[in-house]
Amino acid sequence: DAKHLVPNKMRDFFCTINLDQEEVFRTQVVEKSLSPYFGEEFYFEIPRTFQWLSFYIYDKSVLQKDLRIGKVSIKKEDLCNYTGKENWFMLQPVDSNSEVQGKVHLELKLNELITDNGSVCQQLVVHIKECHGLPLINGQNCDPYATVSLVGPSRNDQKKTKVKKKTSNPQFNETFYFEVTRSSSYTKKSQFQVEEEDIEKLEVRVDLWNNGNLVQDVFLGEIKVPVKVLRNDSFQAWYLLQPRENGNKSSKTDDLGSLRLNICYTEDCVLPSEYYASLRNLLLKSSDVQPISASAAYILSEVCRDKYDAVLPLVRLLLHHHKLVPFVAAVAELDLKDTQEANTIFRGNSLATRCVDEMMKIVGKHYLKVTLKPVIDEICESPKPCEIDPIKLREGDNVENNMENLRYYVDKVFREIVRSSISCPTLMCDVFYSLRHLAAKRFPNDPHVQYSAVSSFVFLRFFAVAVVSPHTFHLRPHHPDAQTSRTLTLISKAIQTLGSWGSLTKSKLSSFKETFMCEFFKTFQEEKFTESVKKFLDDVSSTESKEPSGLSEPVHLKEGEMYKRAQGRTRIGKKNFKKRWFCLTSREFTYHKQQDKEPIFTIPIKNILAVEKLDESSFNKKNMFQVLHGEKPLYIQANNCVEASEWIEALCRVTRCNQKRLSFYHPSAFLNGNWLCCKATIESTVGCARCTADVPADTQIEIDGDRETERIYSLFTINRSKLQKLEEACGSIAVYQGPRKEPDDYSNFTIEDSVATFHTLKQIIEIVEKLNESHEKYQKKRSSSAKYGSE
């Protein structure tokens, strides 16, 4: 959210998330506010190098261009200082001199030349080769050129490249020569005097500009290299473009307002798979360790300050290797030992409950979509008033009508849920089956506990949470408005209550704190709903094989708006690219004129031969990729680099097992009678570049096991001191078996078997030390091979 934005009057605001100058996400517009609450979460993999993560606040305009109010820019190197916590940031003014993006490839060399009279002078050679990733200007590729200067206390020699038209990756390949020092016997008239020691003060400056033709040129970034670092050597490297030194400096920074952000940024240096074998094997055998509290996976959760940090990579790793169900059963059994009353079963935030929560989020994505998305869309797009709290009723509201509307929505959501058991993923059913039987074993005299063990997850922590926060579960693109949020909250409360009816022993209506909810539920027939809930819970906690939902209907994987090029039937030009709505399922890839319209063009998944990036030079457009199938290639332009990467990844995953996949492809298009990449004149010529490597075949769960193991190693490294404390605690307990009189440093740790726990800790510390050595070797190798100025 933001507060105290200017201008000091109620306006319509939205916020964008940018990698350097490229917008990758945009929030919904919050109308008529000075302190807009956005409440939106965006999770994405970063597909390219970047310098700044920026957030821009815009004032929405209907007739004119949206006005940028201010920005928050965080340098990549500083992201770790803000990760995992909320921070208020003062908005900074948007200054064109600080808005930079991209990199430049330079070769610099200092030559010694012998003049006609035999004296020696020095010459600087600057070869500007190319640039990559320059920003779009007004939504279009720029017309870049570069100025190359040799700057010192008494000189400023400047030279200029040619302008390259409509490209973000210009190829300059121009060389410039500068005299650095002159011999004392040099007699030609000179505009400057250079002494030998001046070389210490000289620097090469390269500025990138967009040629404005009739308007002012736009600054794109600069780099500076001191000449003294060259000496008699040659340097060739990529340099990231930097803002001007006076960029983003203004005295008026206090009155623009502020923005609150919660950023979680992780950067993993993943080594080859064999380096992680020992740690991976130790974690995967956790469910076999007796007691479970002595296992590596459990110890990980004990030493992490926030259990969620440990749960996410742990669940993903165990899922990837099909070891999650036995581990959840083991930690749930430990959880139940400390549960004294059946009605509080699985209500806390233990390791067991968090593991099940995370598993449902990962595995249940499609299940939520096919079950809830249609009804959530109806509620959000055609909302009916549903407020039944007398205190919150607006003037003119009819509480009876509102109650009818709410009852209609609750009935519809409930009906969709209890009919959905056939679509419940098998893995979720296996986990629920284990939890149900463990609960019945712990409380054998309570017939209802087997239902509450399951309903506490599937209703309270899965469906009810998805209803109240549909944007978090990708059921809606944005956070709902205030009135719709209130409606969803009331529906969520009702679903939680109905879900618990199959497992409550006391009066159902006594569970309500609010009188108005008690009145609302008097209209429900308890027995009918109780039986429906019980049947549903029986179904989803059964191990009987179900017909996979993919056989009855296709799995919806991704959809969104992009631009596609007509497939060679009309002239080349802007009009060839048209905005279309694309949809990918496990069966077909389609595009439509608009969302919810019939498809204009359909490619069966089995017919897709390859999905690859397309060179920008083909159509002078960024973020393009190609789908190769039986006919001409389908060329598509995504809206940004993140979106392009996600689409390519999704298409590659779902087509990976196609038998006729190509091994080679053309990185560029076939235009004007030849392939731009290899100049072959026959359109059916075999591709000139090898297709990219295979990606994981699982179309619903995309997990990189080595990356998750690397994250777990990082957590153990960060919490090394706690591992040592726990190791000391195990030693103390093994020596002294008497009662503990005072709380000690390890009183918060769960140590059931000090000898087994000590043994596992010793293994963890040894493995972590070995991985530390491997990482240090890699970093040394990387730093020794890096050149001055390289990224």
Side-chain angles (χ1 to χ4, degrees):
D1 59 348
K3 63 182 180 183
H4 311 317
L5 299 180
V6 294
N8 295 316
K9 55 183 178 180
M10 308 294 266
R11 302 299 293 263
D12 301 341
F13 294 106
F14 65 91
C15 179
T16 67
I17 302 174
N18 292 47
L19 289 175
D20 297 322
Q21 293 303 293
E22 183 178 16
E23 180 185 322
V24 292
F25 289 106
R26 178 179 291 211
T27 69
Q28 65 180 348
V29 177
V30 177
E31 297 179 348
K32 295 181 174 53
S33 175
L34 278 177
S35 299
Y37 177 77
F38 301 109
E40 300 199 35
E41 293 182 9
F42 300 94
Y43 172 84
F44 59 100
E45 296 284 338
I46 299 174
R48 62 171 177 81
T49 57
F50 72 103
Q51 294 188 76
W52 300 86
L53 178 66
S54 300
F55 303 83
Y56 291 83
I57 296 288
Y58 282 82
D59 179 359
K60 179 72 176 172
S61 176
V62 178
L63 300 176
Q64 298 177 331
K65 187 178 178 181
D66 298 330
L67 176 66
R68 287 198 284 193
I69 299 295
K71 69 172 183 179
V72 171
S73 288
I74 305 171
K75 207 163 189 176
K76 178 185 174 182
E77 293 77 16
D78 297 333
L79 282 170
C80 58
N81 300 329
Y82 303 104
T83 189
K85 50 194 174 186
E86 285 188 358
N87 293 279
W88 280 102
F89 296 88
M90 297 296 294
L91 289 178
Q92 302 298 319
V94 180
D95 171 16
S96 60
N97 286 333
S98 68
E99 307 295 291
V100 302
Q101 173 185 311
K103 55 188 179 179
V104 59
H105 192 189
L106 290 182
E107 183 177 8
L108 305 170
K109 191 173 184 180
L110 206 54
N111 290 332
E112 285 190 346
L113 299 179
I114 300 175
T115 61
D116 294 339
N117 60 10
S119 60
V120 178
C121 67
Q122 287 186 303
Q123 181 188 59
L124 175 68
V125 182
V126 180
H127 180 192
I128 178 166
K129 295 188 172 186
E130 59 182 318
C131 291
H132 184 79
L134 298 181
L136 300 178
I137 303 295
N138 298 323
Q140 300 292 323
N141 279 334
C142 53
D143 295 339
Y145 69 90
T147 59
V148 182
S149 309
L150 183 62
V151 182
S154 58
R155 66 188 289 181
N156 187 354
D157 295 353
Q158 186 178 95
K159 300 180 181 183
K160 179 180 168 183
T161 68
K162 295 176 182 176
V163 176
K164 299 295 178 180
K165 292 289 187 180
K166 302 297 176 197
T167 178
S168 296
N169 303 320
Q171 304 283 327
F172 292 113
N173 279 321
E174 295 190 41
T175 304
F176 301 99
Y177 300 90
F178 298 91
E179 290 180 348
V180 176
T181 59
R182 289 178 175 165
S183 63
S184 56
S185 59
Y186 192 80
T187 55
K188 188 175 179 181
K189 188 177 179 182
S190 172
Q191 294 179 343
F192 57 88
Q193 298 295 320
V194 180
E195 301 295 335
E196 183 67 34
E197 61 269 17
D198 278 350
I199 194 170
E200 298 292 327
K201 301 173 184 178
L202 293 177
E203 65 180 11
V204 179
R205 193 179 75 204
V206 178
D207 294 80
L208 268 294
W209 297 85
N210 176 60
N211 183 35
N213 291 324
L214 300 177
V215 296
Q216 188 175 1
D217 292 355
V218 177
F219 175 74
L220 300 178
E222 70 176 14
I223 63 107
K224 296 179 180 179
V225 182
V227 174
K228 64 182 179 182
V229 303
L230 302 177
R231 290 305 177 184
N232 295 320
D233 202 357
S234 173
F235 278 93
Q236 182 176 195
W238 283 97
Y239 297 80
L240 293 170
L241 291 172
Q242 302 296 325
R244 270 189 178 157
E245 286 184 352
N246 64 342
N248 207 22
K249 289 186 180 178
S250 170
S251 59
K252 298 181 179 179
T253 58
D254 297 331
D255 55 356
L256 296 177
S258 51
L259 182 66
R260 182 166 60 166
L261 302 168
N262 190 338
I263 300 167
C264 186
Y265 174 76
T266 56
E267 185 173 311
D268 303 311
C269 171
V270 184
L271 301 172
S273 188
E274 59 267 19
Y275 286 85
Y276 300 107
S278 299
L279 181 56
R280 182 170 57 241
N281 294 336
L282 188 64
L283 290 161
L284 294 179
K285 69 179 185 182
S286 291
S287 56
D288 301 325
V289 175
Q290 294 293 334
I292 190 67
S293 59
S295 69
Y298 195 91
I299 290 170
L300 175 68
S301 71
E302 287 282 272
V303 298
C304 287
R305 186 172 59 86
D306 186 349
K307 272 190 170 58
Y308 182 76
D309 291 340
V311 165
L312 183 58
L314 184 59
V315 167
R316 291 171 70 85
L317 180 69
L318 294 173
L319 261 177
H320 186 60
H321 292 280
H322 311 291
K323 295 282 187 180
L324 183 65
V325 177
F327 179 74
V328 168
V331 291
E333 192 169 12
L334 181 62
D335 215 17
L336 287 168
K337 282 183 184 177
D338 298 328
T339 306
Q340 303 304 318
E341 295 183 24
N343 62 355
T344 60
I345 193 169
F346 298 132
R347 291 298 172 96
N349 278 324
S350 64
L351 177 59
T353 57
R354 290 200 171 199
C355 282
V356 178
D357 285 352
E358 198 56 44
M359 177 275 296
M360 292 191 297
K361 282 182 188 175
I362 297 169
V363 177
K365 277 183 184 176
H366 173 63
Y367 180 34
L368 277 178
K369 277 190 175 180
V370 297
T371 306
L372 290 183
K373 194 173 189 314
V375 65
I376 295 292
D377 285 343
E378 179 187 338
I379 295 166
C380 294
E381 290 166 13
S382 307
K384 299 176 181 179
C386 294
E387 185 58 73
I388 57 173
D389 183 353
I391 298 171
K392 295 184 178 180
L393 283 172
R394 296 177 182 176
E395 190 176 343
D397 278 356
N398 186 313
V399 71
E400 285 80 14
N401 286 346
N402 289 5
M403 197 173 285
E404 280 182 23
N405 293 337
L406 182 59
R407 176 62 193 264
Y408 166 77
Y409 284 146
V410 170
D411 279 343
K412 193 159 187 179
V413 172
F414 180 81
R415 189 165 59 248
E416 293 298 330
I417 291 172
V418 295
R419 287 178 179 177
S420 70
S421 59
I422 191 72
S423 301
C424 186
T426 306
L427 188 71
M428 284 176 66
C429 294
D430 290 344
V431 169
F432 295 153
Y433 175 82
S434 295
L435 298 177
R436 177 176 181 165
H437 284 269
L438 287 168
K441 181 181 172 183
R442 175 70 178 85
F443 299 99
N445 299 322
D446 189 331
H448 301 283
V449 74
Q450 59 178 320
Y451 293 111
S452 59
V454 180
S455 68
S456 62
F457 287 107
V458 74
F459 277 102
L460 271 67
R461 293 171 176 263
F462 188 57
F463 285 120
V465 178
V467 167
V468 82
S469 302
H471 56 293
T472 306
F473 291 83
H474 306 291
L475 298 176
R476 294 291 299 169
H478 295 294
H479 189 282
D481 60 52
Q483 184 180 331
T484 308
S485 286
R486 174 62 179 164
T487 298
L488 292 172
T489 301
L490 292 171
I491 296 168
S492 179
K493 283 185 177 184
I495 293 303
Q496 289 182 55
T497 302
L498 292 173
S500 66
W501 273 11
S503 56
L504 288 177
T505 53
K506 57 185 179 180
S507 168
K508 280 74 176 176
L509 296 178
S510 66
S511 62
F512 290 111
K513 295 175 185 175
E514 302 103 334
T515 311
F516 62 87
M517 288 299 286
C518 191
E519 290 297 318
F520 174 63
F521 270 94
K522 284 180 181 177
T523 64
F524 287 74
Q525 295 177 5
E526 290 184 21
E527 192 175 324
K528 175 187 169 186
F529 283 90
T530 300
E531 288 307 309
S532 296
V533 169
K534 283 187 172 180
K535 184 180 184 310
F536 170 73
L537 295 174
D538 282 334
D539 289 343
V540 296
S541 57
S542 166
T543 57
E544 294 177 11
S545 61
K546 294 179 171 62
E547 178 192 353
S549 58
L551 296 180
S552 55
E553 60 177 302
V555 179
H556 179 96
L557 299 173
K558 191 168 177 60
E559 62 180 352
E561 204 169 55
M562 294 187 289
Y563 295 84
K564 69 95 189 173
R565 179 182 178 265
Q567 297 182 53
R569 291 185 287 271
T570 56
R571 281 178 53 214
I572 297 166
K574 285 184 184 177
K575 64 182 180 182
N576 277 50
F577 284 85
K578 294 182 180 177
K579 190 184 289 187
R580 293 288 182 257
W581 185 265
F582 288 81
C583 183
L584 174 65
T585 72
S586 56
R587 288 187 189 170
E588 58 191 23
F589 181 50
T590 58
Y591 62 77
H592 315 241
K593 200 162 189 176
Q594 292 176 333
Q595 188 178 4
D596 300 326
K597 298 288 185 184
E598 288 299 310
I600 300 172
F601 189 73
T602 300
I603 307 174
I605 292 301
K606 63 182 181 181
N607 291 354
I608 295 178
L609 306 176
V611 181
E612 299 288 346
K613 290 182 179 179
L614 185 72
D615 284 353
E616 179 198 319
S617 57
S618 298
F619 302 105
N620 281 331
K621 291 182 181 291
K622 298 180 77 171
N623 305 316
M624 288 204 67
F625 63 95
Q626 52 184 319
V627 179
L628 308 178
H629 56 111
E631 301 176 27
K632 291 179 181 291
L634 176 60
Y635 297 128
I636 300 170
Q637 183 186 27
N639 294 295
N640 56 63
C641 64
V642 172
E643 188 179 84
S645 176
E646 288 177 350
W647 272 104
I648 293 170
E649 205 169 333
L651 282 159
C652 284
R653 285 202 313 272
V654 76
T655 59
R656 178 180 177 269
C657 296
N658 287 358
Q659 293 182 352
K660 295 182 179 179
R661 276 183 68 91
L662 297 175
S663 299
F664 293 88
Y665 78 105
H666 289 283
S668 292
F670 185 82
L671 296 175
N672 301 325
N674 67 76
W675 289 102
L676 299 181
C677 41
C678 59
K679 307 304 178 188
T681 55
I682 301 172
E683 195 167 1
S684 58
T685 302
V686 175
C688 56
R690 183 171 287 279
C691 288
T692 50
D694 288 341
V695 292
D698 193 327
T699 60
Q700 295 181 62
I701 306 172
E702 171 208 338
I703 294 170
D704 182 341
D706 292 337
R707 187 173 183 181
E708 304 306 333
T709 313
E710 166 64 28
R711 286 179 177 171
I712 291 171
Y713 150 74
S714 300
L715 291 170
F716 277 135
T717 304
I718 292 165
N719 295 285
R720 176 69 187 271
S721 60
K722 286 190 179 178
L723 286 173
Q724 289 171 334
K725 272 189 181 178
L726 191 51
E727 194 178 28
E728 290 167 12
C730 291
S732 301
I733 293 168
V735 173
Y736 174 67
Q737 297 291 340
R740 296 184 203 172
K741 296 177 182 176
E742 306 243 344
D744 45 44
D745 286 344
Y746 50 86
S747 57
N748 292 326
F749 294 137
T750 303
I751 305 174
E752 293 179 288
D753 185 329
S754 59
V755 175
T757 306
F758 184 87
H759 178 66
T760 306
L761 282 163
K762 195 173 179 183
Q763 288 179 286
I764 292 170
I765 291 170
E766 284 177 4
I767 290 168
V768 167
E769 284 175 352
K770 272 191 175 181
L771 278 168
N772 281 342
E773 289 174 11
S774 300
H775 274 282
E776 283 171 14
K777 282 181 184 175
Y778 168 77
Q779 292 297 345
K780 280 181 184 176
K781 185 179 176 184
R782 186 181 181 189
S783 59
S784 64
S785 62
K787 291 185 178 180
Y788 179 88
S790 60
E791 295 170 67

